[in-house]
Amino acid sequence: MKDLLSAFLRLEDVPVEDHTTKQTIAWAEVDEEGRLVLPPEVMKHYGLKPGAKVRLDEGENFVRMHRPVTHLTKIYIEPTVACNLDCITCFRNDWDQTIGHMTEETFEAILEGLKQLDPMPDVYFGGIGEPLFNPKTIEWIQRVKALGVKVELITNGTTLTEKISRRLIDTGLDLLWVSLDGASEETYADVRLGARLPQIIENMRRFARMRSKEHYPKPEIGVAFVAMKRNIADLPEIIRLGKSFKAQYFSVSNLQPATPAMMDEILYSRSMRDVAYMRAPHLPYLSLPKMDFNEYTRDALFEVFNSQLNISYAGNNWSGANDTCDFVERGTMSIAWDGNVSPCWPLMHSHVTYLNGRRRVVKKHVVGNVRERSLEDIWLDPGYVAYRERLHNFVFAPCTFCGGCDLVESNEEDCLGNDTFPVCGACLWAQGIIQCP
């Protein structure tokens, strides 16, 4: 029993004294009445309060426990939708949304809402625009950090002057993400119009040097990369560049096309079709051990990984998660610059994208506004909780690998009779194709 429990109670985020690892193992016990008793720190970390419902997935030799849908762990805050760049990947290439900054009144409502939550969730400053384009963002980071929570920020790096860098470091920011979509001046400028790569690299190296000289300086640094045909060859050099300014984390996402021209840039045409095969339990299973990727194995493994089999690599499903809303799994909510709360980053704003050659209008989904209701009241609203439970089950049409009917042109209904807005069968985040850092 203990071997079984240790398999699913590996806590990657629970703080441990040994800072050389982010993983520890917790043990649970079965009491005299046959009830499973979890350690208090596990109960708190996963929001296991009395009355909470917990979903369990059973594997061959493990049980995986999902956090309750009532457990809020992270809030995305969008300080602005304004930006100083004109990137070819941005949704703003085809939308009619208002460009605005979050107001002090809206932030105060968020801050008061955070204070009422127990435990308080982590906070991530980022959205459609450049967060540092709002002159209040650094002050807001400092005020959230004063509450004792983990805070992250994503930036395009263009405004990281020495003065701005010092102010950010002094806030106590935990993690700074920088977006880099090219490793040469040409490839970078081809994606991020209006910026120069050498200046970004200089800004990041200076930022890294300005941090404290401790063994684990803060803020930590991460690199976010959007992969396309035009820049995927740059990925190894992106990693080398990131290491040059002490990046600890690298997050790679695919592109969601915002214009017809970008449809030819995607790198997942086959991956979307393979989702259909991964759903088929009758397909043969292949179990692979760890092995070197080199000149001897490259061609064979390339063919095997594209063989349309259910593949296990070193005990892990090669295809990854399908039909899984990572925003719900991780217990997050997103707050747009105007205070509107949405279940996820993709639903904060109405936008246009392209799927399987079709133009698709994704309409935003607002579940409340922080100026009218508290964060806790919005999060525990019965309708919002029911929506998250619905996403847990993910009973939507398989639009990502089908996409053959007119219903895929919006997120209002699908061919399985789901007519409660929004429907999520065409969500590329839910198929592990697109991810946010």
Side-chain angles (χ1 to χ4, degrees), residues 39 75 83 93 96 117 308 384:
I75 293 178
C83 188
N93 284 293
D96 59 358
L117 295 170
Q308 296 175 351
Y384 187 14

Side-chain angles (χ1 to χ4, degrees), residues 47 104 110 169 281 302 378 403:
E104 186 71 32
I110 296 172
I169 293 169
F302 177 83
I378 295 173

Side-chain angles (χ1 to χ4, degrees), residues 117-151:
L117 295 170
D118 184 23
M120 282 185 281
D122 298 341
V123 171
Y124 180 108
F125 284 90
I128 292 293
E130 164 56 42
L132 293 178
F133 229 47
N134 187 328
K136 301 290 290 185
T137 296
I138 296 179
E139 175 190 327
W140 292 344
I141 291 172
Q142 187 169 25
R143 295 179 67 189
V144 173
K145 275 304 301 177
L147 301 179
V149 303
K150 178 182 178 180
V151 180

Side-chain angles (χ1 to χ4, degrees), residues 197-380:
L197 181 64
Q199 185 62 56
I200 306 302
I201 301 304
E202 180 182 337
N203 289 348
M204 293 307 302
R205 288 173 176 167
R206 180 179 58 226
F207 184 90
R209 293 193 302 267
M210 290 175 64
R211 300 178 301 171
S212 66
K213 305 305 180 184
E214 299 173 3
H215 194 56
Y216 297 97
K218 290 290 184 74
E220 292 183 298
I221 296 172
V223 174
F225 176 80
V226 177
M228 297 167 273
K229 288 179 182 177
R230 68 177 64 198
N231 71 353
I232 187 61
D234 282 12
L235 182 55
E237 184 61 25
I238 285 286
I239 294 173
R240 284 189 283 271
L241 280 175
K243 287 182 177 179
S244 77
F245 51 78
K246 311 301 182 184
Q248 289 290 106
Y249 306 95
F250 295 85
S251 176
V252 179
S253 177
N254 276 299
L255 164 75
Q256 184 165 23
T259 63
M262 298 307 292
M263 286 191 287
D264 292 334
E265 291 288 335
I266 67 171
L267 299 170
Y268 48 87
S269 296
R270 178 160 187 158
S271 295
M272 286 201 297
R273 293 196 301 272
D274 285 351
V275 169
Y277 293 103
M278 295 305 106
R279 292 167 181 247
H282 64 276
L283 289 177
Y285 283 81
L286 172 65
S287 178
L288 289 173
K290 293 180 180 179
M291 65 177 66
D292 294 342
F293 287 88
N294 56 29
E295 65 272 21
Y296 301 107
T297 64
R298 179 181 57 224
D299 293 342
L301 290 176
F302 177 83
E303 188 170 343
V304 166
F305 286 139
N306 287 286
S307 62
Q308 296 175 351
L309 297 178
N310 282 309
I311 298 174
S312 170
Y313 179 76
N316 296 294
N317 182 1
W318 174 253
S319 71
N322 298 318
D323 296 342
T324 300
C325 178
D326 193 49
F327 294 98
V328 169
E329 288 288 316
R330 292 187 291 121
T332 74
M333 71 158 54
S334 300
I335 307 175
W337 67 273
D338 56 4
N340 282 334
V341 175
S342 297
C344 60
W345 182 90
L347 292 177
M348 277 201 298
H349 302 285
S350 296
H351 61 274
V352 172
T353 184
Y354 290 82
L355 179 67
N356 295 322
R358 287 180 176 268
R359 185 175 188 269
R360 174 174 166 80
V361 178
V362 179
K363 296 184 177 181
K364 68 180 180 181
H365 180 42
V366 177
V367 296
N369 191 289
V370 297
R371 296 193 305 270
E372 300 168 359
R373 302 168 64 188
S374 70
L375 291 179
E376 184 174 35
D377 186 41
I378 295 173
W379 178 249
L380 297 179

